[in-house]
Amino acid sequence: MKPLQAMLAAGGALALRATLRNPARTINEEDEDREFPGLPIVPTLLCAAGWSLFAWIGLAQKDDMITTDEQVEIASDISEGGRTITIVTTASVPWLTGTAVNPTIRAVELAKLDNEVTLVLPWLLPQDQPNVFSGKVMFQSPAEQAQYVREWMKALYPSAEDDDEENEMLLPEIRFYAGGYAKDVGAVFPLSDIAKALPQNTFRDVLILEEPEHLTWYYYGERLTHQYRYVVGIIHTNYVAYALNWDFPVGLVKGPLLWFYNKWCTRAHTHRIVKLSDAMQSFPRAITANVHGVRDAFLDIGKSTEHDYSHDFYFVGKLVWQKGYNRLVPLLKNYYRQTGEALPMEWFGSGDDASAIYESTQREVALHNIICRGQAVDHVELTNFKALINASDSEGLATVTLEAIAMGKFVVIIDHRCNHFFRQFPNALFYRNQSEFIGAVQYAASHQPNPLTDTELEGLSWSGAMSRLVDAVQTNQTRGPVDNFASNALARMMKISSSKLFRNPDYAEIMEEVKREREGRDSLRSYQVAAT
């Protein structure tokens, strides 16, 4: 028995013994000078039993795969390549959200550094796909979707465009876990154990969880730090901010609870957390670094000295109020009141609030010059706009803003911690209030953006992002006995509570589809990147 476990068990036994020897009785005036008679027997029995159970849950588990400072420092060093890296994310192209695009490119970039990389994506049944993939049923099988993702990767890297076997080996392997789309929150959740997406005999070296809290809210498997040598979580989304924006009083309750639960999940299942900005909540063993870059197609536009800006202002984002539209609409109303002009602007995106957002542009005179496109679009196609207006303050670090900067555009953004990375770019126009917003918009309308320097281009590129990632994941922080105890207890309780959620027969079809795909793995080629 471990020393701390023995200590806790002994403490529970002593508490129980003291309770039985000192049965409770009421203290009255005659007893004031006497020794305290003891605790009530029933509550104390319950507390002792609960404490003993918590001690058993927390300590009757194996430790992390790596346990010493030297081991964790070696495992966290990915600078030399030659590692076996698994990346699990919550979204997949053709959904062009940040949690789909950035992990996919990160997988290729890590593979280019001579790592053996597997990208694990959610598989949605065809009836769920229209909610995510721009209203179209895209794929009838995981193999079909894997092929689409590979083609998307090839389009990003011309060297992989040939169909011969040698060049195809430049792409990471693609696997799937069973996913389900929750329409009320507009997100995909795992319906299966994400760790079982890989064969059991696979070397479990480095695991990168893109949105670790999201992936483990309902995770019911064994602790991921028990299954992988080193687990990194990259925080993409400010879920607490989204929760606080829910209608009163739900947001006031849900926000703080989610804040604690996120810390719980990440403490149990990761060794290192990377936050894209300090707008995110605090996490155990966390560091702040922007480990995202942009595709070369954006940088090629930014390098160009010729731009045809036939339109001024636009925004690209999912059509849900929390993506910044709830902040942008009041700003545009005030702009109309102060200037007497309805600002011309185009909004691109699809989402669950599309109808309500569109109706708001029809009701308000101040929004009559807004064109709500209501469709998802690849941002790289919008080269004829001069300035992006992104009023969101609930993002971790907005991918759309990063891409607009890389294209050499102005960005009009709020002076907030989520945007601090953009302070280094002259084309970022910050505002703190409504009057400064008007000034930033008018400046963008009457001026031309500054050309990007070589240093700025490197900072926006994926090569720059990979350098920041290598530095961010390096650590020598190990868990102490108390941390390990708490992490084991939390993970065990999560497993017990979450396992009940996945016995619903409605999940049988999607689970069976993924199972068939694994059994027929011969139809899905395995890809590994060679050193370039």
Side-chain angles (χ1 to χ4, degrees), residues 237 298 493 522:
T237 307
F298 290 103
M493 288 189 288
D522 289 344

Side-chain angles (χ1 to χ4, degrees), residues 78-392:
I78 61 173
S79 60
E80 298 299 324
R83 305 294 295 273
T84 301
I85 301 176
T86 302
I87 299 177
V88 185
T89 188
T90 57
S92 172
V93 294
W95 192 7
L96 297 178
T97 186
T99 49
V101 172
N102 290 312
T104 302
I105 300 177
R106 192 180 342 271
V108 179
E109 291 292 333
L110 282 169
K112 287 168 61 180
L113 297 176
D114 198 23
N115 297 294
E116 183 179 348
V117 182
T118 301
L119 177 63
V120 183
L121 304 171
W123 162 249
L124 298 175
L125 290 179
Q127 55 263 38
D128 274 344
Q129 292 175 25
N131 296 316
V132 177
F133 301 140
S134 303
K136 300 177 182 178
V137 177
M138 300 294 297
F139 314 109
Q140 296 301 321
S141 70
E144 188 178 339
Q145 182 174 350
Q147 183 60 35
Y148 180 94
V149 175
R150 286 195 294 271
E151 295 299 328
W152 190 86
M153 289 177 176
K154 289 180 183 180
L156 301 181
Y157 297 90
S159 62
E161 287 182 353
D162 295 336
D163 291 332
D164 59 82
E165 183 176 340
E166 182 179 355
N167 279 324
E168 285 201 358
M169 293 295 287
L170 292 172
L171 300 180
E173 180 181 358
I174 299 171
R175 287 182 175 266
F176 292 90
Y177 62 85
Y181 180 73
K183 192 171 183 179
D184 55 336
V185 295
V188 176
F189 290 93
L191 303 182
S192 62
D193 186 345
I194 56 177
K196 292 183 178 179
L198 300 182
Q200 292 303 305
N201 60 353
T202 302
F203 176 48
R204 311 227 165 183
D205 186 9
V206 179
L207 175 65
I208 298 178
L209 299 175
E210 310 274 353
E211 296 202 303
E213 74 282 49
H214 185 146
L215 288 167
T216 57
W217 279 334
Y218 305 113
Y219 181 69
Y220 62 95
E222 297 297 328
R223 270 183 70 190
L224 294 170
T225 55
H226 291 170
Q227 301 183 65
Y228 290 84
R229 291 182 65 229
Y230 192 66
V231 183
V232 178
I234 299 177
I235 306 295
H236 290 245
T237 307
N238 194 343
Y239 284 112
V240 172
Y242 286 171
L244 291 172
N245 282 329
W246 280 51
D247 294 337
F248 180 85
V250 176
L252 292 179
V253 176
K254 193 172 183 179
L257 289 177
L258 187 60
W259 189 90
F260 282 105
Y261 194 56
N262 286 345
K263 293 172 74 74
W264 177 347
C265 295
T266 54
R267 178 178 293 279
H269 291 290
T270 66
H271 295 105
R272 186 66 157 170
I273 288 293
V274 179
K275 302 192 302 179
L276 297 181
S277 75
D278 285 327
M280 310 290 198
Q281 69 172 86
S282 61
F283 287 93
R285 299 176 295 279
I287 188 172
T288 300
N290 173 24
V291 293
H292 289 174
V294 299
R295 290 179 273 160
D296 288 345
F298 290 103
L299 297 174
D300 291 340
I301 296 171
K303 293 174 185 176
S304 174
T305 57
E306 298 181 2
H307 298 280
D308 179 19
Y309 296 132
S310 57
H311 298 72
D312 281 335
F313 302 104
Y314 74 109
F315 177 61
V316 179
K318 192 174 181 180
L319 287 176
V320 293
W321 288 112
Q322 292 87 348
K323 277 292 185 180
Y325 296 97
N326 55 345
R327 303 282 190 235
L328 181 56
V329 167
L331 289 169
L332 295 178
K333 289 180 180 179
N334 181 72
Y335 184 92
Y336 176 76
R337 286 194 299 268
Q338 298 296 324
T339 66
E341 299 178 0
L343 186 69
M345 192 174 175
E346 295 187 34
W347 295 347
F348 296 86
S350 60
D352 296 332
D353 293 333
S355 297
I357 292 173
Y358 175 76
E359 289 174 5
S360 72
T361 65
Q362 302 302 301
R363 291 194 307 266
E364 300 286 345
V365 176
L367 305 180
H368 275 185
N369 283 340
I370 302 295
I371 300 176
C372 193
R373 295 297 183 183
Q375 63 186 32
V377 64
D378 191 340
H379 192 185
V380 76
E381 299 174 5
L382 304 179
T383 58
N384 57 340
F385 289 90
K386 191 195 334 186
L388 173 87
I389 300 178
N390 187 357
S392 177

Side-chain angles (χ1 to χ4, degrees), residues 392-412:
S392 177
D393 60 0
S394 61
E395 301 297 318
L397 185 140
T399 299
V400 67
T401 304
L402 196 67
E403 292 170 345
I405 286 281
M407 295 169 76
K409 301 176 183 290
F410 282 124
V411 293
V412 178

